Amino acid sequence: MFADRAKVFIRSGKGGDGHVSFRRELYVPAGGPDGGDGGKGGDVIFVVDEGLNTLNDFRNVRKYCAGDGEEGGKRRQHGANGADIICKVPPGTVIKDFETGKVIMDMSNKTEPVVILKGGRGGNGNMHYATSTMQAPKYAQPGQPATELYVTLELKVIADVGLVGFPNVGKSTFLSRVTNARPKIANYHFTTLNPNLGVVDMGDGAGFVIADIPGIIEGASEGVGLGFQFLRHIERTKVLLHVVDGASVEGRDPINDIYAILDELKKYNVEISDRPMVIAANKMDAMNEVERETVIEMLKEEFNPKGIEVFAISAVTGEGVKELLWHLFKLVQEAPKDIVEFETEFIPVNEVSDEPYTIEIDPKNEHVFIVEGPKLEKMLGYTNLESEKGFNFFQKFMRENGIIDELKARGMQEGDVVKMYDLEFDYYE
């Protein structure tokens, strides 16, 4: 069974506690503290596996827990670090916080492993707490607790062209004709249950990936039927191909169908409806010449003024398919090359961890403020500051964590410079 969504529990490892012990050897009656540090807890790591194309594994195993760090030992022995756990996901997977639905990480363009939850830091042993006045400390630092989180994994198909249309208009037949995909084809009235991917070979090494998105019905954007589950797969496609039953074999009006689908796409994500679109009037083999000309003329009069090309095709006989494919290929070549990527909106942080930030004024320039800290560094590593959405998330992070207020309290004014690791920002209200 194809699975494109799964809810799983992830947990990083707890840091090992620091150890309390004292050196006890012959001829050393007053040995000092020698309790070792606890080991670091294991991380929860996600990595893209090109060999996977579904989330089926996450339907069978729903808990992924890293190992805990071990307690420190006598004689300054460091506790063993907890084992990391690695979760392999297919390309196109988006990791979201289950409670809020906010994006934690989009794995689409990630070629390296990504740490989603960091293990707890190991606690210091009592050897760290000896002072001139306290030479026999009987306490050690506990390890940081584990971080637990329920996440939703969503697989958003990565394809150049997305086939959309009501059930039974011939999308699966079209896909099987133009690619090596072999979807199940039958005359049924609900929908294909799985998104099917295929590669269109245009010759000389050129081509593009096309996806048959399961049939959308009215109300899909509100969760009616199965459509809502599959609308997410359209989000990454560069070009949309609307397949309609031009012959109205089942009494459907092709123009009404197109507008109904456009309406569902706008309700789900208005950005999708702005992408290049093409209309394929299918089942031309079921019509005589006069009927064909009437339908095509009607569709062109309605949609050509909107910049949408209309092609008359027959997925059964292959009529008009070649011309349609070359037009789609041209649109794909003209579209932006980058895969649509979803910005980070949520950063999982251990609620009881002590991850402070520091603010320093550059000793050489009182108008330059240096801000650093583990949580801040993690946020910068997750966030694409070159995008408007990513930069807005960065500004919100700075406000909600009190960093802006703290900078103002330290004397920051408009035009001053804020340095964060290798980044610099000018501050303006």
Side-chain angles (χ1 to χ4, degrees), residues 174 241-247 278-285 287-289 291-297 299-300 304 309-325:
F174 175 79
L241 176 59
H242 290 258
V243 181
V244 295
D245 179 1
V278 182
I279 293 171
N282 192 23
K283 303 187 181 181
M284 291 293 106
D285 56 293
M287 307 169 67
N288 60 43
E289 196 64 34
E291 291 172 333
R292 291 165 55 147
E293 289 182 4
T294 301
V295 170
I296 297 304
E297 189 62 33
L299 287 168
K300 286 184 176 181
N304 281 0
E309 293 290 327
V310 178
F311 289 81
I313 71 163
S314 169
V316 173
T317 67
E319 176 191 347
V321 169
K322 188 174 182 180
E323 293 81 1
L324 171 60
L325 292 179

Side-chain angles (χ1 to χ4, degrees), residues 230-394:
F230 300 113
L231 280 169
R232 68 177 67 97
H233 296 302
I234 304 173
E235 292 184 272
R236 295 201 197 273
T237 56
K238 299 173 182 177
V239 179
L240 295 180
L241 176 59
H242 290 258
V243 181
V244 295
D245 179 1
S248 299
V249 172
E250 299 183 356
R252 303 196 65 90
D253 184 329
I255 291 179
N256 287 345
D257 281 0
I258 293 169
Y259 279 122
I261 288 175
L262 283 173
D263 187 51
E264 292 303 319
L265 296 180
K266 286 178 182 177
K267 289 177 183 175
Y268 181 72
N269 185 341
V270 69
E271 293 179 8
I272 298 175
S273 60
D274 293 332
R275 290 182 194 161
M277 298 183 190
V278 182
I279 293 171
N282 192 23
K283 303 187 181 181
M284 291 293 106
D285 56 293
M287 307 169 67
N288 60 43
E289 196 64 34
V290 175
E291 291 172 333
R292 291 165 55 147
E293 289 182 4
T294 301
V295 170
I296 297 304
E297 189 62 33
M298 179 178 64
L299 287 168
K300 286 184 176 181
E301 284 182 3
E302 184 70 26
F303 295 104
N304 281 0
K306 296 178 173 63
I308 302 174
E309 293 290 327
V310 178
F311 289 81
I313 71 163
S314 169
V316 173
T317 67
E319 176 191 347
V321 169
K322 188 174 182 180
E323 293 81 1
L324 171 60
L325 292 179
W326 279 109
H327 182 69
L328 291 171
F329 180 67
K330 176 175 175 289
L331 293 178
V332 169
Q333 293 299 104
E334 293 171 350
K337 300 302 178 188
D338 294 337
I339 295 171
V340 175
E341 187 170 351
F342 300 89
E343 302 288 352
T344 295
E345 300 170 321
F346 179 89
I347 297 177
V349 175
N350 190 326
E351 293 181 1
V352 295
S353 68
D354 51 340
E355 292 193 341
Y357 59 85
T358 60
I359 296 177
E360 297 180 3
I361 299 175
D362 191 328
K364 298 178 182 179
N365 187 341
E366 63 180 9
H367 296 290
V368 176
F369 295 78
I370 302 168
V371 186
E372 294 184 346
K375 185 176 177 182
L376 182 64
E377 185 178 19
K378 186 176 183 182
M379 181 276 296
L380 292 172
Y382 271 4
T383 309
N384 177 15
L385 296 177
E386 295 181 2
S387 73
E388 181 180 355
K389 189 173 182 181
F391 194 75
N392 288 338
F393 174 72
F394 160 73

Side-chain angles (χ1 to χ4, degrees), residues 94-239:
V94 178
I95 306 168
K96 293 183 176 182
D97 173 52
F98 176 75
E99 293 295 331
T100 64
K102 292 183 177 180
V103 175
I104 296 173
M105 180 59 62
D106 185 344
M107 299 295 293
S108 301
N109 291 318
K110 301 295 180 287
T111 55
E112 300 294 328
V114 177
V115 177
I116 299 299
L117 294 183
K118 287 190 71 66
R121 189 176 60 245
N124 291 330
N126 71 330
M127 64 180 180
H128 292 279
Y129 300 106
T131 67
S132 58
T133 57
M134 174 66 73
Q135 296 184 7
K138 296 180 180 179
Y139 58 86
Q141 185 184 36
Q144 282 186 329
T147 305
E148 301 178 350
L149 194 66
Y150 278 97
V151 296
T152 302
L153 305 180
E154 289 186 356
L155 177 57
K156 298 175 186 282
V157 166
I158 299 176
D160 298 308
V161 176
L163 292 177
V164 295
F166 276 82
N168 213 32
V169 296
K171 299 196 311 300
S172 297
T173 304
F174 175 79
L175 185 72
S176 66
R177 171 168 284 278
V178 302
T179 74
N180 56 358
R182 292 293 175 264
K184 293 180 180 179
I185 301 170
N187 185 28
Y188 48 80
H189 289 81
F190 47 101
T191 182
T192 302
L193 293 179
N194 301 340
N196 291 296
L197 282 175
V199 178
V200 178
D201 183 4
M202 304 301 292
D204 295 326
F208 57 90
V209 179
I210 191 167
D212 172 19
I213 308 300
I216 299 171
I217 61 175
E218 290 178 80
S221 60
E222 282 124 31
V224 175
L226 292 171
F228 179 75
Q229 299 178 31
F230 300 113
L231 280 169
R232 68 177 67 97
H233 296 302
I234 304 173
E235 292 184 272
R236 295 201 197 273
T237 56
K238 299 173 182 177
V239 179

Side-chain angles (χ1 to χ4, degrees), residues 5-11 44 46 55-64 87 89 95-98 117 148-154:
R5 198 167 190 269
K7 174 189 174 184
V8 297
F9 173 82
I10 57 176
R11 175 189 178 276
V44 178
F46 278 74
L55 296 171
N56 278 342
D57 291 346
F58 295 94
R59 291 289 183 89
N60 301 323
V61 181
R62 294 181 178 270
K63 287 188 177 182
Y64 295 83
C87 303
V89 295
I95 306 168
K96 293 183 176 182
D97 173 52
F98 176 75
L117 294 183
E148 301 178 350
L149 194 66
Y150 278 97
V151 296
T152 302
L153 305 180
E154 289 186 356

